[in-house]
Amino acid sequence: MKRRRKARVNSEAPPDDQSAAEFSFTLTKVAVSQICLSVGYTSTDTSSTLNTLTLITTKFLQSIAELAASFSNSANRTEANLFDIVNGLQDAALATSDCFPGGSTLHSTESHCLIRSAVLRNLSDFVASAFEIPFAKPLPRLEISGSYGGDSTRAARSRDEMKSIPAWLPPFPEDSSLYRERYAEERSGHLWEKSDSVIGHGTFVEETSGFESCRGRSGGRLPMRRASVRFKVERDWSNGGGGKSDTRLERWRDKFEVKKRIGEEEEYIDCADIDAGEWNM
Amino acid sequence: MNHGQHSGEAKHEDDAALTEFLASLMDYTPTIPDDLVEHYLAKSGFQCPDVRLIRLVAVATQKFVADVASDALQHCKARPAPVVKDKKQQKDKRLVLTMEDLSKALREYGVNVKHPEYFADSPSTGMDPATRDE
């Protein structure tokens, strides 16, 4: 019985990705239910109805994003702009409905301005006419958010987790913090018409300067004064006196001790203090 | 010449309307929060630091959901109401979003929703007890 209960608990414990997906899905469900409430509905017959509408909403959102991203990528850009989004919206509108007003003059040479796009005009009318329905609760913003092109689960890694990398190497630039700082600055006053693609200035300077400052702290060189490392020698005579000698090197954190054992008595000899990479016998 | 002037004016007006619309997005609060939209956009490989464009996607999604829900509501209202003798129940008529209305509304948007009509926990459920024993 206990085993069965334990197995059930293990199966219910979701990994981080799953819980994040569930969380975002639940938030979307709240927003969708608010929209349904504003239309005039008071309830749903089953929970699967609302789940279906929420799932389709997320798919719609992601399809717009994928279309806009593909448009921007085909124009050799990584950041999408208004043109990409409008093109994506038009494609999504063509996919989800049979037609929309102005669809026939979509790619005509005369319609240079984006506002002539019927989809955008409809959205403009919607914003002007529809009441604002703010989300039910303000969302808490996490300290480390990897939503801007990164993965939050892989963003933060301490040096303890990466044991394969020697301690004397300079620290890695913190990608997440770099992105976050850059993102916060850009978000506060960044307009797409003033972005790199339009003006041609590189905002990567900030990123590289951050990396340089990270490197500049240690400069990629070993520090002059470092913690001392000690060794102890141990010889194992336990196999009948004059048998085989066993010298073992044991590493205890930064301290190496080589122990020398003769017969049954243990004798520790501090044989070396290493400072700045030299043996001091 | 006149034609060129007209087209130039029209373009100027369109530009002004576009600028105004983008400016109005800064003040508009969509129902779907910016962070949530951003999460889904980042998941799909979309990068954009401009909050107005994120809100534009949020507004487009909100409009899509509102259109689907209002279409489903029209289907719900168009269905002949069941005969109810009690007057109280007639007054308390609540609008319930059903899968039937939703699937009809979604079909207009190119989404075909298939759902099982009836769930039964075992094949013998609902059968006559006499036949079940056999």
Side-chain angles (χ1 to χ4, degrees):
Chain A
M1 186 66 189
K2 273 186 179 177
R3 189 182 292 169
R4 190 179 295 170
R5 188 180 295 167
K6 200 173 182 180
R8 189 182 296 169
V9 167
N10 282 340
S11 66
E12 281 175 1
D16 286 344
D17 289 345
Q18 197 181 341
S19 62
E22 277 177 12
F23 181 62
S24 55
F25 188 81
T26 311
L27 289 179
T28 317
K29 196 195 280 186
V30 173
V32 167
S33 55
Q34 277 186 288
I35 295 167
C36 289
L37 206 64
S38 74
V39 167
Y41 278 114
T42 52
S43 60
T44 60
D45 58 345
T46 54
S47 61
S48 64
T49 313
L50 194 58
N51 282 342
T52 308
L53 190 54
T54 310
L55 186 68
I56 289 163
T57 307
T58 56
K59 297 281 179 199
F60 181 79
L61 197 54
Q62 284 180 328
S63 72
I64 291 176
E66 281 169 10
L67 284 166
S70 72
F71 272 110
S72 63
N73 289 340
S74 63
N76 293 328
R77 280 181 280 108
T78 52
E79 286 188 357
N81 61 22
L82 184 64
F83 291 93
D84 303 323
I85 294 175
V86 172
N87 278 322
L89 284 173
Q90 281 173 342
D91 279 10
L94 279 173
T96 53
S97 58
D98 290 332
C99 60
F100 58 88
S104 58
T105 59
L106 204 69
H107 300 292
S108 68
T109 52
E110 287 181 3
S111 59
H112 294 294
C113 190
L114 286 172
I115 199 67
R116 287 191 186 176
S117 158
V119 180
L120 206 59
R121 205 181 300 152
N122 285 342
L123 284 179
S124 170
D125 293 343
F126 180 78
V127 169
S129 63
F131 290 107
E132 281 188 35
I133 315 158
F135 194 68
K137 278 189 176 182
L139 291 183
R141 200 168 179 86
L142 292 173
E143 283 296 315
I144 299 168
S145 78
S147 61
Y148 188 61
D151 191 354
S152 59
T153 55
R154 291 170 205 161
R157 271 193 183 182
S158 63
R159 184 53 74 89
D160 296 336
E161 290 175 28
M162 298 185 285
K163 284 177 182 171
S164 59
I165 299 167
W168 47 267
L169 277 174
F172 280 107
E174 291 177 8
D175 289 341
S176 57
S177 66
L178 275 174
Y179 271 123
R180 203 165 57 239
E181 283 168 16
R182 183 189 165 198
Y183 180 47
E185 278 182 16
E186 284 184 349
R187 193 174 176 175
S188 58
H190 187 99
L191 303 175
W192 74 269
E193 53 264 29
K194 293 176 185 172
S195 63
D196 311 344
S197 55
V198 179
I199 297 175
H201 289 293
T203 56
F204 194 68
V205 177
E206 190 186 339
E207 209 166 309
T208 51
S209 66
F211 184 70
E212 281 301 319
S213 68
C214 263
R215 282 185 68 84
R217 272 182 299 186
S218 60
R221 294 173 193 161
L222 288 171
M224 290 298 286
R225 187 80 187 168
R226 282 172 288 148
S228 63
V229 183
R230 300 179 71 201
F231 286 90
K232 278 191 177 179
V233 179
E234 174 192 345
R235 182 166 292 169
D236 195 1
W237 293 93
S238 58
N239 295 338
K244 295 176 183 176
S245 66
D246 186 16
T247 305
R248 285 181 291 173
L249 285 171
E250 292 181 5
R251 177 177 179 182
W252 293 342
R253 294 187 183 176
D254 293 335
K255 188 186 284 185
F256 288 89
E257 293 190 350
V258 184
K259 297 175 182 177
K260 185 179 183 182
R261 188 190 293 170
I262 303 170
E264 292 180 2
E265 292 181 352
E266 272 190 20
E267 187 178 347
Y268 290 91
I269 300 171
D270 287 349
C271 75
D273 273 352
I274 300 177
D275 198 1
E278 288 182 1
W279 287 74
N280 300 323
M281 295 292 285
Chain B
M1 187 68 185
N2 265 343
H3 179 71
Q5 263 189 350
H6 278 296
S7 66
E9 281 175 12
K11 195 181 175 186
H12 186 71
E13 281 177 12
D14 287 343
D15 277 341
L18 178 63
T19 313
E20 193 183 332
F21 171 53
L22 286 177
S24 71
L25 281 174
M26 286 297 276
D27 304 325
Y28 189 80
T29 312
T31 309
I32 306 170
D34 292 339
D35 293 336
L36 187 62
V37 177
E38 222 174 281
H39 166 76
Y40 279 115
L41 294 183
K43 217 173 160 186
S44 309
F46 180 99
Q47 282 185 38
C48 184
D50 194 348
V51 72
R52 295 175 303 170
L53 302 188
I54 290 167
R55 285 197 182 160
L56 180 66
V57 178
V59 165
T61 313
Q62 186 180 338
K63 186 177 178 297
F64 174 74
V65 178
D67 285 349
V68 169
S70 57
D71 279 2
L73 193 71
Q74 296 306 317
H75 283 290
C76 179
K77 283 180 178 173
R79 196 186 307 134
V83 183
V84 182
K85 286 180 182 175
D86 195 2
K87 284 185 179 176
K88 272 189 180 178
Q89 281 188 352
Q90 274 186 343
K91 277 186 182 176
D92 293 343
K93 191 188 175 187
R94 288 183 174 182
L95 294 167
V96 180
L97 178 66
T98 59
M99 188 60 109
E100 191 186 345
D101 295 334
L102 183 67
S103 57
K104 274 181 189 171
L106 283 172
R107 202 169 296 153
E108 294 171 19
Y109 290 86
V111 184
N112 293 314
V113 181
K114 304 275 184 192
H115 61 282
E117 297 291 334
Y118 179 66
F119 283 109
D121 48 359
S122 71
S124 59
T125 308
M127 285 173 70
D128 212 24
T131 55
R132 201 186 296 173
D133 289 338
E134 287 172 2

